[in-house]
Amino acid sequence: RFARSHRPGLPVFVVTGYPDRAGKLQDSMVPPLEVMAKPIDYPELSSALRRAVSQAARSARPSVRSP
């Protein structure tokens, strides 16, 4: 919650050792965040990071400079 309140566009990942609870945790968070269960599947982690960076880039607003 702290990260989201101070940096709203920051992607948040949660890694849990309880894979049976990962889905419930992901469904309960607003806005949704990426929840991964241990052991980490590195190709899955790589894909999740790419999605997060892509989504953050799309939602970033370009700054407007005055002359």
Side-chain angles (χ1 to χ4, degrees):
R1 291 179 186 156
F2 179 84
R4 290 207 187 246
S5 67
H6 286 79
R7 299 281 306 268
L10 182 70
V12 177
F13 290 82
V14 174
V15 178
T16 180
Y18 300 97
D20 55 324
R21 298 181 187 173
K24 288 182 182 180
L25 179 61
Q26 190 167 16
D27 293 342
S28 69
M29 299 304 291
V30 175
L33 46 90
E34 191 76 36
V35 179
M36 303 184 87
K38 293 179 185 176
I40 297 295
D41 175 30
Y42 289 102
E44 181 182 342
L45 175 61
S46 177
S47 294
L49 290 170
R50 284 190 183 114
R51 281 193 307 273
V53 169
S54 176
Q55 182 178 6
R58 282 193 307 266
S59 61
R61 295 181 183 163
S63 60
V64 177
R65 295 183 182 183
S66 347

